[in-house]
Amino acid sequence: TLGLDQDEGKDFLCDNGVCIKQIAVCNTLNNCGDWSDEKECLGRFYCANENPVFIPWEKVCDEVNDCYDGSDECNDCNFDILANDHSLIANTILACLVWVMGSIAILGNLILILSKGHELKTIGSKMNSVTKISTLLLVNLALSDFLMGVYLIGIAAMERQLSAPPDEPEASYCMNSKSWRSSLSCKVLGSVCLLSSECSIFMMTLITLHRLISVIFPRKVSTLGKRGLSAWYGTIIVVWLVVLGLAWVPNMEIFQEYFITEAYYKDNSFFGKGYKVNLAKYAWHTTTPAPVGSRRQIT
C-alpha cells in the first residue's frame, strides 16, 4: 500500500500508530488502515456513521441520502421556515403556542359540547325548532374545533418526540423526518386536521343558512315539524360523512400518484427493476445499507 514504508517518509502519523508519507494523505485511499489519513480533507463531507467515510461536498443537501445514515441531508438543510434539522417546530415560542392553543381548543370545546349536549338531552323537547337546530349546529361546530385541538396536541407531542439536541444528530428530526412523514400517525393527524377544518367550514355555512332562513321565514322555521327537524339532522349527518371521505381521500391507494410526491422505502433485495421506473422521481433513500448486488442510486 502506498506510503506504508516504516523506514522513510515518516511525515504523517496515523491514529493507529502507522506512519505514511505525506503525499499519501487525502488521496481517497485508506493508506493508514483506519481512514485517519483521509480525515479533515477539503471538499469532503464526513458521514456520521462513517458508511461511507466521506462523500464529495457537492452531494450534500441534494435530497439524496448518499450517506447511509442520511447525515449528508441533515447538515443544516432546512426544510422550511417552521422546521429545521433538529426540530419539527423550530421556533420555541411557536411550539409553546401550539401546546397552549391545542389545550384551549380541547378544554373549551369539550365544555361547550358537554353543556349544550346536556341541554339538548334534558330540555330539548321543550325547545322550539330554531333554538334546537342552532344548539345542535353549535355542538357540531364545537366538535370539529375539538378535533383541531387534538391535532395540535398530537403535533406538539410528535415535536417533542422527534426533536433532539444538536449533539445527538442520530436522534434529530432530520434523521427521522422521512419515516415520520410516511407513518400511520402522520396520516391520521393529517386527516384529523383536514376533517376539522372542512367540517368547521360546512358547519358555519349551515349556521349562516339557518340564520338566514330564520330571518326570511321566521314562522315556518319556529314551527318545524318532525319532517323539518329530520331534514336538518340528515343534513348534518351527510356533512360528516362527506368530510370524513374528503379527509381520507389523500390516503386512498387509487389517489396515491396524485397526492404523494415522495416515496419512503427500505432497501431490500425485492426492490428492483419493476418498480424503479415508477418510483424513480419519488425515491428517498433510508439509513440501511444497500444489499449485495443492488444499487442505491436510482437513475
Side-chain angles (χ1 to χ4, degrees):
T1 304
L2 177 63
L4 293 182
D5 188 349
Q6 296 285 328
D7 298 323
E8 61 178 342
K10 298 178 181 179
D11 303 319
F12 182 83
L13 179 63
C14 304
D15 291 346
N16 59 6
V18 175
C19 292
I20 63 173
K21 297 179 181 179
Q22 189 66 39
I23 194 174
V25 177
C26 292
N27 66 348
T28 73
L29 299 177
N30 184 17
N31 298 297
C32 284
D34 60 0
W35 290 100
S36 57
D37 57 314
E38 299 301 316
K39 294 181 179 179
E40 300 180 5
C41 300
L42 297 177
R44 298 178 186 174
F45 176 84
Y46 292 87
C47 300
N49 69 344
E50 299 184 350
N51 188 13
V53 176
F54 57 84
I55 61 172
W57 190 262
E58 58 268 18
K59 291 189 175 182
V60 175
C61 297
D62 63 351
E63 297 187 349
V64 175
N65 286 9
D66 299 290
C67 295
Y68 284 158
D69 62 359
S71 56
D72 56 313
E73 299 305 310
C74 298
N75 189 49
D76 293 327
C77 310
N78 293 321
F79 297 106
D80 50 49
I81 61 175
L82 295 178
N84 60 20
D85 289 342
H86 307 291
S87 302
L88 174 59
I89 305 176
N91 190 299
T92 304
I93 296 177
L94 182 59
C96 293
L97 286 176
V98 171
W99 279 105
V100 172
M101 296 303 295
S103 301
I104 292 174
I106 289 177
L107 182 61
N109 287 291
L110 184 59
I111 292 174
L112 180 64
I113 292 169
L114 293 177
S115 61
K116 292 299 181 181
H118 181 70
E119 286 183 14
L120 287 172
K121 183 179 180 180
T122 55
I123 61 174
S125 59
K126 299 178 182 179
M127 293 179 178
N128 61 44
S129 57
V130 174
T131 304
K132 182 180 290 188
I133 296 301
S134 295
T135 304
L136 185 61
L137 290 172
L138 187 60
V139 169
N140 280 271
L141 178 61
L143 181 57
S144 63
D145 291 339
F146 173 84
L147 292 176
M148 181 57 71
V150 172
Y151 165 75
L152 291 174
I153 292 298
I155 288 295
M158 292 307 303
E159 190 275 333
R160 298 304 305 160
Q161 180 178 336
L162 294 172
S163 299
D167 59 342
E168 298 181 17
E170 70 282 353
S172 69
Y173 170 64
C174 177
M175 290 290 197
N176 299 288
S177 65
K178 300 181 187 74
S179 57
W180 147 244
R181 287 180 286 158
S182 301
S183 66
L184 179 61
S185 57
C186 183
K187 292 179 180 180
V188 171
L189 284 175
S191 296
V192 168
C193 178
L194 183 58
L195 173 64
S196 173
S197 57
E198 292 294 329
C199 192
S200 293
I201 293 173
F202 276 107
M203 289 303 165
M204 286 189 289
T205 302
L206 288 179
I207 291 173
T208 304
L209 180 62
H210 181 255
R211 297 283 175 85
L212 178 63
I213 295 174
S214 299
V215 171
I216 298 176
F217 308 106
R219 290 187 177 180
K220 290 184 178 181
V221 174
S222 61
T223 59
L224 280 178
K226 290 185 178 180
R227 182 177 296 180
L229 290 174
S230 298
W232 279 103
Y233 298 156
T235 301
I236 293 172
I237 293 174
V238 169
V239 165
W240 277 105
L241 292 176
V242 169
V243 172
L244 281 169
L246 290 175
W248 196 250
V249 161
N251 300 317
M252 296 175 67
E253 187 174 353
I254 59 175
F255 297 108
Q256 296 283 297
E257 292 185 4
Y258 180 79
F259 288 101
I260 293 182
T261 57
E262 301 164 355
Y264 175 80
Y265 66 91
K266 292 185 177 181
D267 289 323
N268 59 80
S269 57
F270 298 101
F271 188 92
K273 301 176 182 179
Y275 297 151
K276 281 188 177 181
V277 175
N278 296 332
L279 293 179
K281 63 179 180 179
Y282 302 130
W284 282 91
H285 295 281
T286 64
T287 61
T288 55
V292 178
S294 68
R295 297 179 58 190
R296 290 193 61 84
Q297 188 69 32
I298 293 180
T299 56

